[in-house]
Amino acid sequence: MACVTCHNPSKGWADGMVVNTDNTGNPLQRNTPTLLNAAFQKSFFWEGRAPNILDQITAVFNNDKEFDSSVHQFSTEILKDSTYLQLFEEAYGGISKRNTEVIRAISSYISTLKSYNSKFDRNIRGEEDSFTEQEKLGFNLYMGKALCATCHFIPLTNGTVPPFFTEHEKEVIGVPETASNAKLDDDLGFYLLPNSQLEVYRGMFKTPTVRNSEVTAPYMHNGVYNTLEEVMNFYNLGGGGGLGLDFPYQTLPLDNLELSKQEENALVAFMKTLTDTKVGGEY
Protein backbone atom coordinates (compact mmCIF):
# COMPACT_ATOMS: atom_id res chain seq x y z
CA MET A 1 0.00 0.00 0.00
CA ALA A 2 0.94 3.63 -0.50
CA CYS A 3 -0.80 6.95 0.11
CA VAL A 4 -1.97 6.93 -3.51
CA THR A 5 -3.75 3.60 -2.92
CA CYS A 6 -6.59 5.57 -1.35
CA HIS A 7 -5.82 9.15 -2.39
CA ASN A 8 -5.68 9.26 -6.18
CA PRO A 9 -4.98 12.64 -7.86
CA SER A 10 -7.21 11.71 -10.81
CA LYS A 11 -10.16 11.11 -8.47
CA GLY A 12 -10.03 14.35 -6.52
CA TRP A 13 -7.44 12.86 -4.15
CA ALA A 14 -10.02 10.32 -2.98
CA ASP A 15 -10.57 6.90 -4.60
CA GLY A 16 -14.07 6.71 -6.06
CA MET A 17 -14.90 3.66 -3.94
CA VAL A 18 -17.52 3.06 -1.25
CA VAL A 19 -14.63 1.94 0.95
CA ASN A 20 -11.15 0.91 -0.10
CA THR A 21 -9.54 -2.38 0.89
CA ASP A 22 -6.97 -3.12 3.56
CA ASN A 23 -3.61 -4.80 3.06
CA THR A 24 -5.27 -8.22 2.92
CA GLY A 25 -7.95 -7.22 0.41
CA ASN A 26 -10.80 -6.87 2.90
CA PRO A 27 -13.00 -3.74 3.08
CA LEU A 28 -11.85 -0.91 5.30
CA GLN A 29 -14.38 0.65 7.66
CA ARG A 30 -14.94 4.07 6.11
CA ASN A 31 -15.01 6.05 2.88
CA THR A 32 -11.79 7.79 1.81
CA PRO A 33 -11.89 11.61 2.15
CA THR A 34 -10.06 13.94 -0.20
CA LEU A 35 -6.62 15.27 0.73
CA LEU A 36 -7.34 18.65 -0.87
CA ASN A 37 -7.14 21.43 1.74
CA ALA A 38 -6.44 18.84 4.44
CA ALA A 39 -3.78 21.15 5.87
CA PHE A 40 -6.51 23.57 6.97
CA GLN A 41 -8.38 21.04 9.10
CA LYS A 42 -8.13 20.91 12.89
CA SER A 43 -8.76 17.19 13.28
CA PHE A 44 -8.29 14.13 11.10
CA PHE A 45 -10.07 10.87 10.32
CA TRP A 46 -13.87 10.78 10.17
CA GLU A 47 -14.27 10.81 13.94
CA GLY A 48 -11.47 13.33 14.44
CA ARG A 49 -9.22 11.05 16.46
CA ALA A 50 -5.96 12.61 15.20
CA PRO A 51 -5.41 16.23 16.30
CA ASN A 52 -2.94 17.06 13.54
CA ILE A 53 -1.71 15.82 10.18
CA LEU A 54 1.51 14.37 11.62
CA ASP A 55 -0.49 12.11 13.95
CA GLN A 56 -2.80 11.18 11.09
CA ILE A 57 0.06 9.99 8.89
CA THR A 58 1.70 8.15 11.78
CA ALA A 59 -1.57 6.35 12.51
CA VAL A 60 -1.75 5.08 8.91
CA PHE A 61 1.78 3.69 9.25
CA ASN A 62 0.96 1.96 12.53
CA ASN A 63 -2.47 0.64 11.50
CA ASP A 64 -2.18 -3.14 11.07
CA LYS A 65 -4.82 -2.96 8.32
CA GLU A 66 -3.01 -0.28 6.33
CA PHE A 67 0.78 0.24 6.17
CA ASP A 68 1.38 -1.99 9.22
CA SER A 69 4.88 -0.64 9.63
CA SER A 70 6.63 1.58 12.11
CA VAL A 71 8.08 4.73 10.61
CA HIS A 72 11.52 3.41 11.50
CA GLN A 73 11.01 0.22 9.48
CA PHE A 74 9.59 2.17 6.56
CA SER A 75 12.38 4.72 6.41
CA THR A 76 15.02 2.02 6.68
CA GLU A 77 13.61 0.46 3.52
CA ILE A 78 13.20 3.62 1.45
CA LEU A 79 16.63 4.94 2.35
CA LYS A 80 18.14 2.03 0.44
CA ASP A 81 17.13 4.03 -2.64
CA SER A 82 19.82 6.57 -3.49
CA THR A 83 17.18 8.93 -4.95
CA TYR A 84 15.64 9.36 -1.51
CA LEU A 85 19.05 9.84 0.08
CA GLN A 86 19.73 12.78 -2.21
CA LEU A 87 16.27 14.27 -1.63
CA PHE A 88 16.63 14.02 2.16
CA GLU A 89 20.02 15.67 1.94
CA GLU A 90 18.54 18.54 -0.08
CA ALA A 91 15.48 18.96 2.14
CA TYR A 92 16.96 18.41 5.60
CA GLY A 93 20.72 18.71 5.16
CA GLY A 94 21.29 15.08 6.09
CA ILE A 95 19.70 11.76 6.93
CA SER A 96 17.82 11.80 10.23
CA LYS A 97 18.43 9.01 12.71
CA ARG A 98 15.05 9.72 14.34
CA ASN A 99 13.05 8.96 11.18
CA THR A 100 10.64 11.83 11.85
CA GLU A 101 11.52 13.53 8.58
CA VAL A 102 9.61 10.87 6.64
CA ILE A 103 6.38 11.99 8.30
CA ARG A 104 7.30 15.64 7.96
CA ALA A 105 8.07 15.26 4.26
CA ILE A 106 4.72 13.58 3.57
CA SER A 107 2.82 16.18 5.58
CA SER A 108 4.68 18.99 3.80
CA TYR A 109 3.62 17.58 0.45
CA ILE A 110 -0.01 17.14 1.52
CA SER A 111 0.01 20.75 2.67
CA THR A 112 0.65 21.84 -0.92
CA LEU A 113 -2.63 20.26 -2.09
CA LYS A 114 -4.72 23.41 -1.94
CA SER A 115 -7.92 23.88 -3.89
CA TYR A 116 -8.95 27.48 -4.44
CA ASN A 117 -9.27 27.80 -8.19
CA SER A 118 -12.88 26.77 -8.69
CA LYS A 119 -15.52 28.71 -10.58
CA PHE A 120 -16.86 29.75 -7.17
CA ASP A 121 -13.48 31.12 -6.07
CA ARG A 122 -12.90 33.05 -9.28
CA ASN A 123 -16.33 34.66 -9.02
CA ILE A 124 -15.95 35.49 -5.32
CA ARG A 125 -12.56 37.08 -6.02
CA GLY A 126 -14.12 39.17 -8.80
CA GLU A 127 -11.94 37.63 -11.50
CA GLU A 128 -14.98 36.68 -13.56
CA ASP A 129 -18.76 37.03 -13.54
CA SER A 130 -19.87 33.68 -14.86
CA PHE A 131 -22.44 32.27 -12.42
CA THR A 132 -25.64 31.08 -14.07
CA GLU A 133 -28.98 31.98 -12.52
CA GLN A 134 -29.31 28.38 -11.33
CA GLU A 135 -25.89 28.51 -9.64
CA LYS A 136 -26.76 31.83 -7.97
CA LEU A 137 -29.96 30.29 -6.65
CA GLY A 138 -27.99 27.31 -5.38
CA PHE A 139 -25.51 29.54 -3.55
CA ASN A 140 -28.31 31.51 -1.90
CA LEU A 141 -30.00 28.28 -0.86
CA TYR A 142 -26.69 26.96 0.48
CA MET A 143 -26.27 30.07 2.62
CA GLY A 144 -29.93 30.30 3.61
CA LYS A 145 -32.98 28.06 3.29
CA ALA A 146 -31.08 24.78 2.83
CA LEU A 147 -28.93 25.47 5.94
CA CYS A 148 -25.80 23.95 4.35
CA ALA A 149 -23.54 26.78 5.52
CA THR A 150 -24.49 26.24 9.17
CA CYS A 151 -22.15 23.20 9.12
CA HIS A 152 -20.16 23.47 5.87
CA PHE A 153 -18.65 26.86 6.53
CA ILE A 154 -17.47 29.09 3.71
CA PRO A 155 -14.73 29.33 2.49
CA LEU A 156 -13.40 25.84 3.33
CA THR A 157 -16.94 24.38 3.12
CA ASN A 158 -16.12 21.91 5.89
CA GLY A 159 -16.50 22.03 9.68
CA THR A 160 -13.48 24.26 10.34
CA VAL A 161 -15.20 27.06 12.20
CA PRO A 162 -14.65 30.71 11.17
CA PRO A 163 -13.55 33.36 11.92
CA PHE A 164 -10.54 31.94 13.78
CA PHE A 165 -10.49 28.41 12.25
CA THR A 166 -9.16 26.83 15.44
CA GLU A 167 -11.71 24.03 15.83
CA HIS A 168 -13.46 21.49 13.62
CA GLU A 169 -17.14 20.84 14.12
CA LYS A 170 -18.70 17.38 14.31
CA GLU A 171 -22.35 16.53 13.71
CA VAL A 172 -24.87 13.75 14.24
CA ILE A 173 -26.98 13.50 11.08
CA GLY A 174 -28.33 9.94 11.05
CA VAL A 175 -26.63 8.45 8.01
CA PRO A 176 -28.38 5.23 6.93
CA GLU A 177 -26.75 1.87 6.35
CA THR A 178 -27.91 1.64 2.74
CA ALA A 179 -29.44 3.97 0.15
CA SER A 180 -32.85 2.46 0.91
CA ASN A 181 -32.80 4.69 4.03
CA ALA A 182 -34.42 1.94 6.09
CA LYS A 183 -31.86 1.46 8.88
CA LEU A 184 -29.22 3.53 10.65
CA ASP A 185 -25.59 2.78 9.97
CA ASP A 186 -24.03 1.00 12.95
CA ASP A 187 -20.74 2.94 12.92
CA LEU A 188 -20.77 5.00 16.13
CA GLY A 189 -18.00 7.40 15.08
CA PHE A 190 -16.75 9.81 17.74
CA TYR A 191 -18.57 7.79 20.42
CA LEU A 192 -15.96 5.04 20.04
CA LEU A 193 -13.08 7.25 21.17
CA PRO A 194 -11.82 7.07 24.78
CA ASN A 195 -13.84 9.22 27.21
CA SER A 196 -16.50 9.91 24.57
CA GLN A 197 -19.18 7.40 25.59
CA LEU A 198 -22.04 9.86 25.87
CA GLU A 199 -25.30 9.16 24.09
CA VAL A 200 -25.17 12.53 22.36
CA TYR A 201 -21.98 11.39 20.60
CA ARG A 202 -23.46 8.26 19.01
CA GLY A 203 -23.01 8.43 15.24
CA MET A 204 -21.09 11.73 15.41
CA PHE A 205 -18.68 12.46 12.58
CA LYS A 206 -16.54 15.33 11.41
CA THR A 207 -18.13 17.65 8.85
CA PRO A 208 -16.29 17.04 5.54
CA THR A 209 -15.65 19.54 2.78
CA VAL A 210 -18.07 19.83 -0.12
CA ARG A 211 -15.36 21.31 -2.32
CA ASN A 212 -14.70 19.04 -5.28
CA SER A 213 -17.63 16.85 -4.26
CA GLU A 214 -18.55 16.55 -7.93
CA VAL A 215 -15.50 14.29 -8.40
CA THR A 216 -15.28 12.53 -5.02
CA ALA A 217 -18.37 10.30 -4.96
CA PRO A 218 -19.59 8.22 -3.19
CA TYR A 219 -20.60 10.28 -0.17
CA MET A 220 -20.90 10.11 3.63
CA HIS A 221 -18.55 8.27 6.02
CA ASN A 222 -19.81 4.92 4.72
CA GLY A 223 -20.08 5.86 1.04
CA VAL A 224 -23.83 5.18 1.10
CA TYR A 225 -24.88 7.69 -1.58
CA ASN A 226 -23.58 7.64 -5.14
CA THR A 227 -24.91 11.00 -6.31
CA LEU A 228 -25.17 14.55 -5.04
CA GLU A 229 -28.89 14.38 -5.81
CA GLU A 230 -29.27 11.59 -3.24
CA VAL A 231 -27.36 13.64 -0.69
CA MET A 232 -29.57 16.70 -1.28
CA ASN A 233 -32.67 14.57 -0.85
CA PHE A 234 -31.35 13.12 2.44
CA TYR A 235 -30.87 16.58 3.89
CA ASN A 236 -34.12 17.88 2.43
CA LEU A 237 -36.02 15.13 4.26
CA GLY A 238 -34.35 15.98 7.58
CA GLY A 239 -31.56 13.44 7.83
CA GLY A 240 -32.01 10.13 9.63
CA GLY A 241 -34.58 11.54 12.03
CA GLY A 242 -36.59 13.04 9.21
CA LEU A 243 -36.54 9.65 7.48
CA GLY A 244 -38.22 8.15 10.55
CA LEU A 245 -35.12 6.45 11.95
CA ASP A 246 -34.80 6.42 15.75
CA PHE A 247 -32.07 8.95 16.40
CA PRO A 248 -32.89 11.14 19.43
CA TYR A 249 -29.68 13.18 19.53
CA GLN A 250 -29.46 14.24 15.91
CA THR A 251 -27.89 17.69 15.57
CA LEU A 252 -29.34 18.17 12.09
CA PRO A 253 -32.87 19.65 12.21
CA LEU A 254 -35.45 16.89 11.74
CA ASP A 255 -37.81 19.14 9.80
CA ASN A 256 -38.29 18.76 6.07
CA LEU A 257 -36.53 21.69 4.42
CA GLU A 258 -39.33 21.81 1.84
CA LEU A 259 -36.92 22.26 -1.02
CA SER A 260 -38.49 21.84 -4.43
CA LYS A 261 -36.83 19.61 -7.00
CA GLN A 262 -35.77 22.79 -8.80
CA GLU A 263 -34.07 24.01 -5.61
CA GLU A 264 -32.37 20.65 -5.01
CA ASN A 265 -31.03 20.78 -8.57
CA ALA A 266 -29.83 24.34 -8.03
CA LEU A 267 -27.89 23.23 -4.95
CA VAL A 268 -26.21 20.50 -6.95
CA ALA A 269 -25.36 23.04 -9.66
CA PHE A 270 -23.76 25.28 -7.05
CA MET A 271 -21.81 22.36 -5.55
CA LYS A 272 -20.30 21.76 -8.98
CA THR A 273 -18.96 25.32 -9.07
CA LEU A 274 -16.72 24.24 -6.17
CA THR A 275 -14.79 21.84 -8.42
CA ASP A 276 -11.22 23.05 -8.79
CA THR A 277 -9.84 23.23 -12.32
CA LYS A 278 -6.66 21.53 -11.10
CA VAL A 279 -8.38 18.42 -9.70
CA GLY A 280 -6.82 15.47 -11.47
CA GLY A 281 -4.24 17.74 -13.03
CA GLU A 282 -0.76 18.85 -12.12
CA TYR A 283 -0.01 20.15 -8.61
Side-chain angles (χ1 to χ4, degrees), residues 60-259:
V60 173
F61 274 97
N62 293 333
N63 190 331
D64 59 5
K65 294 184 178 181
E66 296 183 293
F67 287 7
D68 193 21
S69 170
S70 73
V71 180
H72 176 81
Q73 291 171 322
F74 178 80
S75 56
T76 299
E77 288 300 312
I78 69 169
L79 292 180
K80 293 177 181 178
D81 186 328
S82 60
T83 303
Y84 286 118
L85 291 174
Q86 180 181 342
L87 290 169
F88 273 101
E89 287 280 359
E90 292 173 358
Y92 297 107
I95 309 301
S96 173
K97 298 185 184 302
R98 295 180 295 118
N99 301 292
T100 55
E101 273 73 7
V102 171
I103 299 298
R104 290 177 180 171
I106 295 171
S107 68
S108 295
Y109 172 68
I110 292 172
S111 297
T112 70
L113 304 178
K114 301 169 185 176
S115 174
Y116 294 103
N117 194 41
S118 67
K119 181 176 183 178
F120 168 77
D121 295 306
R122 295 192 302 274
N123 276 269
I124 288 295
R125 291 194 296 259
E127 296 169 2
E128 60 186 68
D129 182 11
S130 60
F131 263 29
T132 66
E133 291 304 312
Q134 184 186 41
E135 291 164 350
K136 289 177 184 177
L137 172 61
F139 176 62
N140 285 316
L141 289 164
Y142 182 99
M143 299 300 293
K145 179 181 177 181
L147 305 178
C148 310
T150 61
C151 298
H152 297 273
F153 304 111
I154 298 290
L156 293 171
T157 74
N158 63 12
T160 308
V161 185
F164 302 114
F165 305 101
T166 57
E167 59 181 307
H168 199 111
E169 195 174 75
K170 302 178 185 70
E171 300 287 347
V172 180
I173 64 174
V175 174
E177 184 177 62
T178 69
S180 67
N181 297 331
K183 180 182 177 183
L184 281 172
D185 187 69
D186 61 4
D187 189 341
L188 301 182
F190 183 69
Y191 180 87
L192 298 173
L193 298 186
N195 305 314
S196 299
Q197 282 72 53
L198 298 175
E199 287 301 303
V200 293
Y201 294 153
R202 280 183 175 271
M204 178 173 279
F205 292 94
K206 191 177 71 171
T207 302
T209 184
V210 297
R211 281 179 173 271
N212 303 300
S213 55
E214 179 184 11
V215 295
T216 55
Y219 308 105
M220 307 302 195
H221 70 270
N222 57 355
V224 67
Y225 295 130
N226 289 317
T227 68
L228 288 172
E229 286 78 7
E230 289 176 295
V231 175
M232 294 306 108
N233 185 61
F234 169 80
Y235 284 110
N236 191 20
L237 294 175
L243 291 168
L245 306 179
D246 185 17
F247 215 44
Y249 298 108
Q250 181 171 301
T251 56
L252 186 73
L254 305 183
D255 298 335
N256 189 312
L257 294 172
E258 299 184 354
L259 297 172

